[in-house]
Amino acid sequence: MPTPDLVTAELTLTGRITTASNATFLGRIGDVVVVYKPIAGETPLWDFPHGTLAHREVAAYLVSRVFGWDIVPHTWLRDGPMGEGMVQLWQEQDPAQNAVNLVATDHVPETGWKHVLEGRDENGRMVTLVHEDSPALRRMAVFDVVVNNADRKGDHILAMTDGRRHGVDHGLTFHRDHKLRTVLWGWLGDALTAEEREGIDRVSEGLHGELGRNLAELLSAEEIASLAARCARLRLAGRFPAPSGEMSAVPWPLF
């Protein structure tokens, strides 16, 4: 959990992230740069209860912490200039790296990348959505299945200079119904590794202990039960799932 200063010290806003669909601000708590999303600035959605997105972001961090893979940056709830909201440590990504990309179909790399889908750009040229084939991104794909991430866009993956891959913007997670929409479909049908299976087991076991108690303050009992069921199904299948249901399997826009 955050230090007391990060919870109680003054949160000063320094800018606004205008590309976000919900009110999202840059700020500082002392010398610490943070992202602040007030609950009051959440846009109502037809399929998620209003005023719950900040709680889902914190829940995603708690699950990430139990996985032990450093996917979601440190995230917590606290008061701010626009009321209670989600606060997350700012991550400075490497502008020279892209974990997900659109490339000309005749220039798809032969190795190190996974093919997701093809289409035409605004000029009618064939392009292919690809993502890197890395253990860090595989772990994020497993995490997304477990938390039922309905909005894993390419720009929600931060490529760090040291090779880490952080995932952000987890407000659309933990729905009780299947909502998985992601650009990370490249491992469809592949068997889970021992490390990935062990991570799922840690989350499943944690739901009976501290993780479950913490999530009960953020999610409904029905949503936590659905989380447990997803862990069990994924563990039993032992491989990355295929898209299912009638909705789109990828978010729009893709980035």
Side-chain angles (χ1 to χ4, degrees):
M1 298 304 290
T3 65
D5 284 350
L6 292 179
V7 175
T8 60
E10 182 180 8
L11 168 57
T12 303
L13 302 187
T14 58
R16 182 165 185 174
I17 300 175
T18 57
T19 55
S21 56
N22 298 294
T24 304
F25 300 91
L26 281 176
R28 285 185 176 274
I29 305 173
D31 294 330
V32 179
V33 181
V34 298
V35 176
Y36 165 57
K37 298 182 183 180
I39 294 173
E42 293 179 4
T43 302
L45 301 169
W46 69 268
D47 54 347
F48 281 81
H50 184 50
T52 67
L53 304 191
H55 293 79
R56 297 172 192 279
E57 295 243 30
V58 176
Y61 165 69
L62 295 177
V63 172
S64 169
R65 191 173 65 175
V66 172
F67 264 120
W69 297 336
D70 193 26
I71 294 172
V72 182
H74 202 157
T75 310
W76 64 98
L77 288 173
R78 61 155 288 168
D79 195 25
M82 297 179 63
E84 186 180 47
M86 177 225 83
V87 177
Q88 185 175 83
L89 295 183
W90 171 259
Q91 305 297 312
E92 195 66 47
Q93 62 181 321
D94 184 351
Q97 296 189 50
N98 290 301
V100 182
N101 208 354
L102 274 175
V103 299
T105 298
D106 56 358
H107 285 84
V108 174
E110 293 184 6
T111 60
W113 292 83
K114 290 289 190 177
H115 170 284
V116 179
L117 56 82
E118 294 180 351
R120 294 187 182 274
D121 66 12
E122 64 274 13
N123 296 314
R125 295 172 297 194
M126 290 300 298
V127 293
T128 300
L129 178 68
V130 297
H131 63 69
E132 64 182 22
D133 184 12
S134 67
L137 220 57
R138 274 184 63 114
R139 291 191 291 265
M140 189 180 298
V142 172
F143 168 82
D144 283 343
V145 174
V146 168
V147 303
N148 199 17
N149 193 350
D151 196 34
R152 177 62 74 201
K153 295 181 171 71
D155 285 347
H156 294 175
I157 300 168
L158 308 183
M160 310 305 289
T161 303
D162 61 5
R164 287 176 300 155
R165 299 296 182 253
H166 287 312
V168 297
D169 289 311
H170 295 108
L172 303 187
T173 49
F174 298 106
H175 200 285
R176 64 182 185 180
D177 300 327
H178 175 73
K179 293 281 185 180
L180 184 62
R181 289 189 291 265
T182 176
V183 296
L184 301 180
W185 286 112
W187 299 284
L188 190 156
D190 287 4
L192 299 173
T193 66
E195 179 191 20
E196 291 159 356
R197 295 193 302 270
E198 290 166 2
I200 298 167
D201 290 344
R202 285 193 294 273
V203 174
S204 293
E205 293 164 6
L207 292 176
H208 300 289
E210 182 181 4
L211 176 62
R213 292 190 295 273
N214 290 334
L215 291 180
E217 300 178 3
L218 302 164
L219 305 172
S220 71
E222 206 168 19
E223 289 166 341
I224 295 173
S226 293
L227 167 61
R230 287 191 298 273
C231 288
R233 284 195 301 269
L234 184 57
R235 190 66 173 83
L236 180 63
R239 59 187 62 251
F240 285 88
S244 62
E246 298 180 357
M247 68 178 191
S248 172
V250 296
W252 190 259
L254 297 172
F255 291 88

